Amino acid sequence: MICRVAFALSILLGSTQLSFADEEYGIIGGSITYSESVFSTKSTPKFSATPNLFYSDPKGFIDGSLVNWQLLPYVGLSGNWRFAEVSDSIVDLPNGIQDRDGNGELGITVGTVGARLTYLHDVTSEHNGYEVQLHLGRTLETWTQPFTITPYLEVDYRDKKLSNHLYGISNTESSSSGLKAFDAGSTFVYQAGLIGLYEFTPNWIGISKMELIHHDTSSPLIQRDIGWSLEIGLTYRFAGL
């Protein structure tokens, strides 16, 4: 784990020129999402609504549920609300599997909004675990000026406590669901995606997103190797006009 973090830091510190928030920019809105979760027992994708929030300036950024306040150059204090991933309210879980509640987290971020390494630790005593996120992304211009694309890659390391909270199966759940009891070790999660923004007007920005995700665990809760989602929506630009 130490070697992997050191390697991630070398990538990060060599890539901070990819994106730096020299100017204020912010959008808020919503999308219609068509997706298939790795946890869902259903073989058909489902529709849902997804909020969109992004803000950045030289003092920090907000990227979805992650908030970062820049304390020093390239070093910030971060807070995050981890929304539930394993819950019957968002996916179709096997019968007998209990919901895994979300939790609040605090930590630090090294880097920029587009090239960052973030450490987040549970501060709500839900599982007392932590996650380390390596996120790399860059916004690119296209053949038409109003349209930009942002490819991104994220690798998350989840310690044993967080992993067991999400992927573990207790003896009680095993008896109720028929799934084999499982005690999870530390895991990695791999995400890759593409975000498209189209400026209809200076205020109104269309948004589209495609994402693939893989959880590197042998937990019986995982129903398929790759989860995916497609989004399309509209956002309002409230900063950076």
Coordinates of all heavy atoms in Angstrom, one line a residue, residues 31 147 194-197 206-210 231-233:
S31 N -29.6 15.7 -13.7 CA -29.5 14.8 -14.8 C -30.5 13.6 -14.7 O -30.8 13.2 -13.6 CB -28.1 14.3 -15.0 OG -27.2 15.3 -15.3
F147 N -18.6 23.3 -26.9 CA -18.6 21.9 -26.4 C -17.2 21.6 -25.9 O -16.2 21.7 -26.6 CB -19.0 21.0 -27.5 CG -19.1 19.6 -27.1 CD1 -19.9 19.2 -26.0 CD2 -18.4 18.6 -27.8 CE1 -20.0 17.8 -25.6 CE2 -18.5 17.3 -27.4 CZ -19.3 16.9 -26.3
L194 N -16.2 9.9 -18.9 CA -16.1 11.1 -19.8 C -17.3 12.0 -19.6 O -18.5 11.6 -19.6 CB -16.2 10.6 -21.3 CG -15.9 11.6 -22.4 CD1 -14.5 12.1 -22.3 CD2 -16.2 11.0 -23.8
I195 N -17.0 13.3 -19.3 CA -18.0 14.3 -19.1 C -18.0 15.3 -20.3 O -17.0 15.8 -20.7 CB -17.8 15.1 -17.8 CG1 -17.8 14.1 -16.6 CG2 -18.8 16.2 -17.6 CD1 -17.4 14.8 -15.3
G196 N -19.2 15.6 -20.8 CA -19.3 16.6 -21.9 C -20.2 17.7 -21.4 O -21.2 17.5 -20.8
L197 N -19.7 18.9 -21.7 CA -20.5 20.2 -21.4 C -20.7 21.0 -22.6 O -19.8 21.2 -23.4 CB -19.7 21.0 -20.4 CG -19.5 20.5 -19.0 CD1 -18.6 21.5 -18.2 CD2 -20.8 20.2 -18.3
G206 N -25.6 22.4 -20.9 CA -26.0 21.0 -21.0 C -24.9 20.1 -20.5 O -23.7 20.4 -20.7
I207 N -25.2 19.0 -19.9 CA -24.2 18.1 -19.3 C -24.5 16.7 -19.7 O -25.7 16.3 -19.7 CB -24.1 18.2 -17.8 CG1 -22.9 17.4 -17.3 CG2 -25.4 17.9 -17.1 CD1 -22.6 17.6 -15.8
S208 N -23.5 15.9 -20.1 CA -23.7 14.5 -20.3 C -22.5 13.8 -19.7 O -21.4 14.3 -19.6 CB -23.7 14.2 -21.9 OG -22.6 14.7 -22.5
K209 N -22.7 12.5 -19.3 CA -21.6 11.8 -18.6 C -21.8 10.3 -18.9 O -22.9 9.8 -18.9 CB -21.7 12.1 -17.1 CG -20.7 11.4 -16.3 CD -20.8 11.8 -14.8 CE -19.8 11.1 -13.9 NZ -20.0 11.4 -12.5
M210 N -20.6 9.7 -19.1 CA -20.6 8.2 -19.2 C -19.5 7.7 -18.2 O -18.4 8.3 -18.1 CB -20.2 7.8 -20.6 CG -20.0 6.3 -20.7 SD -19.3 5.9 -22.4 CE -17.7 6.6 -22.3
E231 N -25.6 9.6 -18.3 CA -26.4 10.8 -17.8 C -26.5 11.8 -18.9 O -25.7 12.0 -19.7 CB -25.7 11.4 -16.6 CG -25.5 10.5 -15.4 CD -24.9 11.3 -14.2 OE1 -24.9 12.5 -14.2 OE2 -24.3 10.6 -13.4
I232 N -27.7 12.5 -18.8 CA -27.9 13.7 -19.6 C -28.7 14.7 -18.8 O -29.7 14.3 -18.2 CB -28.5 13.4 -21.0 CG1 -28.5 14.6 -21.9 CG2 -29.9 12.7 -20.8 CD1 -28.8 14.3 -23.3
G233 N -28.3 15.9 -18.8 CA -29.1 16.9 -18.0 C -28.8 18.3 -18.4 O -28.1 18.6 -19.4

